Amino acid sequence: MKKFNFILIILLAAFVQNASAQETLTLQQAITIALQNNYDIKLVNNDLQIAKNNTNIGNAGFLPGVTGSFATDGSRQNTVQTTSTGAERVADGVRNTSMNYGVALDWTIFDGFKMFATYDKLKELQKQGEVNAKATILTTIADVINSYYAVVKQQQLVVANDSALDISRFRLTIADNKLQLGKGSKLDVLAAQVDYNTDTSAYLQQKNLLQTSMITLNQVMARAIDTKFTAQEDMDIDYKLNYTLLQEQTLQLNPDLQNAFINKKVAELSLKEVKGQRYPVVGVNGGYAFSRSANPTGFNQKFRGQGISYGLTASMNIFNGFLQRQNERNAKVQINSSEVELEKTKQTISAQLLTAFENYKTSLDLLKVETKNVDIAKQNLDITLAKYRLGSIAPLELREAQRNSINAITRFLDAQYQAKLTEISLKEISGTLNIQ
């Protein structure tokens, strides 16, 4: 495998040199760009900011409400007043005015501990927003890594197909030279030309796959999808993942499990809120008011008053048609549902983890086999090519060795990519995925 990787690195260096005008992109750079630009992350961060804004004691009902008021009005009238003696008093253009302003305070100082439960519920909802943000970030990072290594794989396949095309070109040149010297046949030239065209078609298709992989990665990074770049990372596989440790990390860090735990806590706090309605609600109120009026034709031609007011109120729900009992029962059912959902999530995540780990082990075993195969196929191709140069074997034997080599390389790269995908999946499920 070391020999193959060394050769592949040399070929990739040539590929990179040809693409020197393109951007070189590391995995860490790709993740950084995605975390800055990804639309889903921006949306979930907005939701998290709303949850943070909502988490305050005022929203929970701890603080008093203070309102100010102001009112003024007036009128202009022509009046005729008749006294008990029959005398009339006529007044034209009489102006009446009044003005009132004040400030009032209402403060619920006890509501059956409902405000405490509401505040705790708001804090749990903020935690849920943070968990959702983490889940979106993990998903985005996983998408970036998967897409990035898909580009790496396609780059390596382009190099491998280009190498196969070089051999076919060499074979066609040899066959054509032999024909020109009268030592070959037209049939060998035609067969070499067909194989060369076949390899050219495969090379062009592989380049197209590379371009579509780049478009996918650019889309995940939420940048211009036609941006050209060259991936600069190797697919280093982590061979030391431990299932027991992954289980422990999953229980602590998996966002779906954390969400299920929070939902259960929120359901329990909702029950506390409902039970709080069984207790009396006690409030205090106070205020300051000023009023002034002028009525030239009235009994009191001018009036002015100001002062403070205060009071204590208490109310208690004695009977509301059994709605209190109904609401409490529904809240308890919701708690039961959250517990069932938690157990269901645990089982689902456990199944996903075990499945991913079995795929991981199988992928590593396949990678070992394909690593040996690619080395053997490379040695076989080198020997066959040397014999072909000496004219000791037929072109069909070279073609077969060439086909076996490209197939072995393709299977090796597929196995390497699948092993990397299972590694990423395990780390995503366990909540331990990062950019290293």
Side-chain angles (χ1 to χ4, degrees), residues 16 95 105 108 112 139 160 180 189 191 200 204 208 219 227 238 255 287 312-313 328 344 367 380 393 396 400 414 436:
V16 172
R95 184 181 180 188
L105 177 145
T108 300
T139 300
Q180 297 298 326
V189 175
T200 301
L204 293 175
N208 181 65
Q219 182 181 9
T227 303
D238 188 348
L312 176 70
T313 62
E328 290 184 13
K344 177 184 175 181
L367 183 57
N380 181 55
I393 62 171
L396 290 179
E400 184 65 22
D414 284 340
Q436 282 74 31

Side-chain angles (χ1 to χ4, degrees), residues 13-190:
F15 176 82
V16 172
Q17 185 176 4
N18 292 332
S20 58
Q22 299 179 5
E23 169 193 1
T24 56
L25 183 70
T26 66
L27 177 59
Q28 184 170 356
Q29 289 172 339
I31 292 175
T32 300
I33 294 171
L35 293 180
Q36 292 174 348
N37 298 343
N38 186 269
Y39 300 116
D40 291 334
I41 291 179
K42 289 181 178 180
L43 291 173
V44 78
N45 282 338
N46 287 341
D47 293 337
L48 175 58
Q49 187 60 50
I50 292 174
K52 288 181 177 179
N53 294 339
N54 289 338
T55 306
N56 58 77
I57 57 176
N59 202 27
F62 281 91
L63 300 180
V66 180
T67 58
S69 62
F70 174 82
T72 181
D73 57 48
S75 64
R76 186 178 294 273
Q77 298 176 328
N78 297 326
T79 64
V80 177
Q81 293 179 325
T82 303
T83 65
S84 57
T85 62
E88 290 187 348
R89 181 181 176 186
V90 179
D92 294 331
V94 177
R95 184 181 180 188
N96 301 318
T97 61
S98 67
M99 181 181 68
N100 302 278
Y101 62 83
V103 61
L105 177 145
D106 290 295
W107 192 356
T108 300
I109 58 176
F110 179 77
D111 64 350
F113 307 105
K114 179 183 175 183
M115 63 182 69
F116 293 94
T118 301
Y119 186 52
D120 290 339
K121 185 176 178 179
L122 291 172
K123 289 190 287 186
E124 292 299 322
L125 291 175
Q126 179 181 336
K127 290 180 183 177
Q128 193 169 54
E130 294 169 352
V131 169
N132 290 336
K134 176 186 175 183
T136 303
I137 291 172
L138 280 176
T139 300
T140 302
I141 292 176
D143 291 343
V144 171
I145 297 176
N146 291 344
S147 300
Y148 185 90
Y149 283 119
V151 173
V152 172
K153 171 190 168 184
Q154 298 303 333
Q155 281 184 177
Q156 293 173 338
L157 285 172
V158 167
V159 172
N161 278 272
D162 186 48
S163 178
L165 187 59
D166 288 340
I167 295 175
S168 294
R169 185 183 297 109
F170 170 75
R171 177 187 159 199
L172 178 59
T173 301
I174 294 296
D176 188 61
N177 289 339
K178 285 183 177 181
L179 180 63
Q180 297 298 326
L181 295 173
K183 295 182 179 181
S185 67
K186 184 66 175 179
L187 183 62
D188 288 342
V189 175
L190 293 176

Side-chain angles (χ1 to χ4, degrees), residues 171-330:
R171 177 187 159 199
L172 178 59
T173 301
I174 294 296
D176 188 61
N177 289 339
K178 285 183 177 181
L179 180 63
Q180 297 298 326
L181 295 173
K183 295 182 179 181
S185 67
K186 184 66 175 179
L187 183 62
D188 288 342
V189 175
L190 293 176
Q193 184 67 58
V194 170
D195 290 339
Y196 175 76
N197 291 342
T198 300
D199 291 343
T200 301
S201 176
Y203 174 73
L204 293 175
Q205 291 176 9
Q206 196 59 58
K207 286 187 67 177
N208 181 65
L209 290 174
L210 173 59
Q211 294 302 319
T212 56
S213 296
M214 289 182 177
I215 292 172
T216 299
L217 179 55
N218 284 328
Q219 182 181 9
V220 174
M221 291 189 292
R223 68 175 186 175
I225 59 176
D226 58 347
T227 303
K228 303 297 182 182
F229 63 91
T230 302
Q232 288 288 305
E233 301 286 341
D234 294 326
M235 279 191 277
D236 295 325
I237 311 299
D238 188 348
Y239 293 88
K240 299 180 181 180
L241 295 180
N242 180 272
Y243 182 70
T244 302
L245 178 60
L246 288 170
Q247 278 184 309
E248 296 174 356
Q249 292 171 331
T250 299
L251 291 175
Q252 296 176 359
L253 303 175
N254 181 271
D256 291 335
L257 277 178
Q258 290 179 329
N259 242 329
F261 279 115
I262 291 174
N263 285 334
K264 180 175 177 293
K265 182 67 174 177
V266 169
E268 292 170 348
L269 291 171
S270 295
L271 176 60
K272 287 185 177 181
E273 286 181 318
V274 174
K275 285 185 174 180
Q277 297 175 7
R278 287 185 174 272
Y279 295 87
V281 177
V282 180
V284 295
N285 59 75
Y288 168 81
F290 173 87
S291 63
R292 184 181 65 192
S293 63
N295 185 1
T297 61
F299 181 77
N300 294 318
Q301 294 186 350
K302 291 185 178 180
F303 172 81
R304 178 178 177 180
Q306 60 181 346
I308 61 173
S309 61
Y310 53 88
L312 176 70
T313 62
S315 63
M316 183 174 181
N317 176 30
I318 299 175
F319 179 74
N320 63 350
F322 304 110
L323 291 178
Q324 178 66 29
R325 184 174 63 179
Q326 171 188 307
N327 292 337
E328 290 184 13
R329 287 177 176 177
N330 290 341

Side-chain angles (χ1 to χ4, degrees), residues 387-412:
K387 288 184 176 181
Y388 179 74
R389 287 194 178 99
L390 297 175
S392 59
I393 62 171
L396 290 179
E397 293 183 55
L398 174 61
R399 182 61 178 175
E400 184 65 22
Q402 182 187 14
R403 185 182 295 110
N404 288 338
S405 177
I406 191 66
N407 288 340
I409 292 173
T410 301
R411 290 196 307 271
F412 165 76

